[in-house]
């Protein structure tokens, strides 16, 4: 069975040291955040951040990300994520052009997702297609 370099060593949840080692070749070295309900955390730590058929949404803005947990149930720190993606595999676009993207073509071209800056400048958004590009720290 073929295992890509990116998938080698992936675990849904890692210590900071493990994540730093696993993501050492990534051009994205900073933490990203994903807001969710606390009730989801055990499954995320066991299975990874993934809902079948849906994308993984991350932000470099903690306050923005934590708004996505339900009222009173969201993890106040968000879910700190270390992302391991070579920047050549993340398509960079802007908010205005996002609606024109051909996601199927990007996937065929080997991209793991895309990133854009919010139109109000309040943080970058990352949309990831492969859960093995993301691990909870």
């Amino acid at each position: 069975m073929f295992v890509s370099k990116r998938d080698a060593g992936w675990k849904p949840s890692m210590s900071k040291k493990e994540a730093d080692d696993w993501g050492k070749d990534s051009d994205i070295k900073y933490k990203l955040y994903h807001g969710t309900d606390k009730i989801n955390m055990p499954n995320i730590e066991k299975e990874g951040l993934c809902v079948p058929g849906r994308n993984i949404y991350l932000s470099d803005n903690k306050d923005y990300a934590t708004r996505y947990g339900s009222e009173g149930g969201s993890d106040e720190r968000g879910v700190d994520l270390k992302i391991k993606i070579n920047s050549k595999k993340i398509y960079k676009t802007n908010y205005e052009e996002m609606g024109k993207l051909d996601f199927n073509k990007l996937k065929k071209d080997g991209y793991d997702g895309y990133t854009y800056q919010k139109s109000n400048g309040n943080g970058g958004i990352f949309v990831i297609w492969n859960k093995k590009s993301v691990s909870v720290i």
Side-chain angles (χ1 to χ4, degrees):
M1 179 174 140
F2 173 76
V3 177
S4 73
K5 280 188 194 180
R6 177 193 57 222
D7 294 353
W10 176 82
K11 295 189 302 186
S13 181
M14 300 181 193
S15 71
K16 182 174 180 334
K17 182 181 179 340
E18 287 174 317
D20 286 344
D21 290 344
W22 173 70
K24 70 181 181 284
D25 295 329
S26 176
D27 288 342
I28 301 170
K29 302 292 185 192
Y30 46 89
K31 286 184 195 175
L32 296 172
Y33 300 92
H34 174 83
T36 190
D37 296 343
K38 285 183 179 181
I39 196 168
N40 296 330
M41 287 304 301
N43 192 56
I44 289 171
E45 290 172 344
K46 180 180 173 192
E47 301 292 330
L49 190 62
C50 179
V51 177
R54 303 211 26 215
N55 298 322
I56 299 168
Y57 292 87
L58 310 168
S59 177
D60 59 6
N61 183 309
K62 181 178 173 178
D63 293 333
Y64 180 79
T66 55
R67 286 190 270 165
Y68 285 89
S70 69
E71 198 171 317
S74 100
D75 183 348
E76 290 180 11
R77 68 174 181 86
V79 178
D80 297 354
L81 299 174
K82 175 76 172 189
I83 187 168
K84 181 190 183 284
I85 292 183
N86 185 316
S87 66
K88 295 176 189 120
K89 293 293 184 183
I90 287 283
Y91 187 84
K92 294 177 181 154
T93 188
N94 60 48
Y95 186 79
E96 291 75 25
E97 296 295 317
M98 198 176 61
K100 300 174 187 174
L101 293 178
D102 181 342
F103 300 120
N104 289 325
K105 181 175 181 342
L106 289 175
K107 289 176 186 179
K108 284 181 187 175
D109 290 346
Y111 287 96
D112 293 311
Y114 62 95
T115 184
Y116 64 93
Q117 189 72 24
K118 288 180 56 194
S119 60
N120 65 5
N122 189 16
I125 304 298
F126 292 77
V127 181
I128 308 301
W129 296 309
N130 182 343
K131 78 174 187 176
K132 291 189 175 180
S133 297
V134 178
S135 181
V136 176
I137 299 174

